[in-house]
Amino acid sequence: MSGWWMTVGSGARRMAGTRPGPRPRARFRVVALPHAGGWPSAFRSWWQVLPEDVECVVAQLPGRGARINEPLVARVEPLVDALVRDLSELEPLPYAVIGHSFGSVLGYELTRAMERNGLPPTLLAVSARQPPCFPSEPPFAHLRSDAELLEHLTDMGGMSPGLVDRADLVRSSLRAIRADLEAMETYRRPPFGTGVPILALGAVDDPVVIDERMHLWSLETSGGFSRQTFTGGHFYLYTPANAAAVAARLVPGLDHPRSEPPLPQPLVR
C-alpha cells in the first residue's frame, strides 16, 4: 500500500497472519475517508461487516498514524491530488467511496477527480457533513484555542471528557484535527458536480449537522440519489450495526453481514 492508503478489514487481518489460509481475490473495494483528525483505525468496526473478498482501503493523511512526523496539509486540493494519484495506482477493481464528516468533502472531490480520469466509483456515500451548497461560515472551529477545540470535540462525542483539561496529551491529535478543519472550512463548492450516484447518510441526533440539509446532496449529482438516516450522534457510522447497514448499501451482494463482538473504536488518538 502507498502511504496515503491503508488496507483494513478482513483482508488486512489475513495479511497480518491472524487468520490461516490464502486471502481470496478481492472482487470489490471500499474506499473510506475518516473524520477530521481521524486515523484509519476509525473504520475498524467495518472489519466485522465486510466479507473476505472485499478490500477496504482507508485514507491515512499526513500528521497521524505512521505519518505522524510529516507536515500537515490544510487545503482540500493537494490532499485530493495525492489521494487520487495513489488510488489510481492500485489494482483496478469496482469500488465505492464513503466519507465521514470531513471525509465526505474529500470523498466528493476524489469522486469528481476519479470520474474525470475515467475511473469513477459505482457509488459515493457522504456521511455527517452538510452539502457544499452550505459552506462553512465564521466563527471557524480551526481558529479556536486548544481548550475551546477540546471542548467542542467533547460536546460532539469525538473526545473523552477526561481530556478536556489535558491538551498536552492530545496536542499532536489537535494539530491534525485543526489542519483538517481548516481544509474543510476553506473549501468551496465546485462549479460542476458528479454523475456518480450519491447516498447521503446522517444521524437525526447529530449535534453538529442539520439532518434536514442532507437531502440537498442531491444537487451535487446528475446520477441517482438516496438517503438513509440513523441515530447515534455525529460518529454513528463507526458502530458495528450502522456500519453493517451502510456496507450493505455499498457492496453488491452483501445482504447478510457477519455479526461479531464489537471492537473498541477510539475516535481521536
Side-chain angles (χ1 to χ4, degrees), residues 69-94:
N69 294 319
E70 295 183 29
L72 295 164
V73 180
R75 290 295 184 272
V76 167
E77 293 79 5
L79 289 171
V80 170
D81 287 347
L83 290 166
V84 167
R85 181 194 66 230
D86 282 16
L87 184 63
S88 299
E89 294 176 355
L90 299 183
E91 177 187 2
L93 283 174

Side-chain angles (χ1 to χ4, degrees), residues 7-257:
T7 301
V8 300
S10 300
R13 287 189 292 182
R14 281 193 178 277
M15 291 168 69
T18 57
R19 289 187 177 184
R23 180 187 178 196
R25 180 176 177 83
R27 64 177 175 87
F28 195 81
R29 176 179 291 134
V30 172
V31 174
L33 301 110
H35 57 281
W39 293 30
S41 60
F43 278 87
R44 285 190 298 175
S45 58
W46 286 60
W47 292 3
Q48 304 159 151
V49 301
L50 294 177
E52 299 291 327
D53 60 354
V54 173
E55 180 179 85
C56 183
V57 296
V58 185
Q60 180 172 250
L61 304 186
R64 69 215 74 189
R67 308 184 67 188
I68 189 70
N69 294 319
E70 295 183 29
L72 295 164
V73 180
R75 290 295 184 272
V76 167
E77 293 79 5
L79 289 171
V80 170
D81 287 347
L83 290 166
V84 167
R85 181 194 66 230
D86 282 16
L87 184 63
S88 299
E89 294 176 355
L90 299 183
E91 177 187 2
L93 283 174
Y95 70 101
V97 174
I98 180 164
H100 182 68
S101 195
F102 170 56
S104 292
V105 175
L106 295 181
Y108 175 54
E109 287 298 332
L110 180 143
T111 294
R112 294 178 65 249
M114 293 295 286
E115 187 177 24
R116 291 194 299 271
N117 292 347
L119 298 168
T122 59
L123 179 68
L124 165 64
V126 289
S127 169
R129 176 61 187 168
Q130 62 191 19
C133 58
F134 290 98
S136 298
E137 297 180 347
F140 296 124
H142 77 272
L143 296 177
R144 296 178 181 181
S145 68
D146 283 356
E148 291 169 336
L149 187 54
L150 275 170
E151 184 177 0
H152 171 67
L153 293 169
T154 301
D155 290 343
M156 64 190 292
M159 185 73 71
S160 169
L163 296 174
V164 171
D165 298 321
R166 296 302 309 273
D168 56 311
L169 296 181
V170 292
R171 189 157 287 117
S172 63
S173 293
L174 287 178
R175 286 195 294 267
I177 293 167
R178 195 182 299 280
D180 289 355
L181 289 175
E182 182 176 348
M184 182 173 69
E185 292 171 343
T186 56
Y187 171 76
R188 291 297 178 264
R189 185 186 187 190
F192 302 103
T194 178
V196 173
I198 289 180
L199 168 62
L201 306 164
V204 293
D205 54 347
D206 190 326
V208 180
V209 179
I210 299 173
D211 183 62
E212 289 80 3
R213 291 181 174 179
M214 293 300 293
H215 77 278
L216 292 177
W217 273 101
S218 61
L219 301 177
E220 308 304 323
T221 179
S222 58
F225 176 79
S226 57
R227 280 190 66 194
Q228 191 166 357
T229 302
F230 299 85
T231 59
H234 188 67
F235 295 100
Y236 77 94
L237 184 67
Y238 300 139
T239 64
N242 291 339
V246 175
R249 299 287 299 271
L250 268 62
V251 180
L254 185 57
D255 297 323
H256 303 287

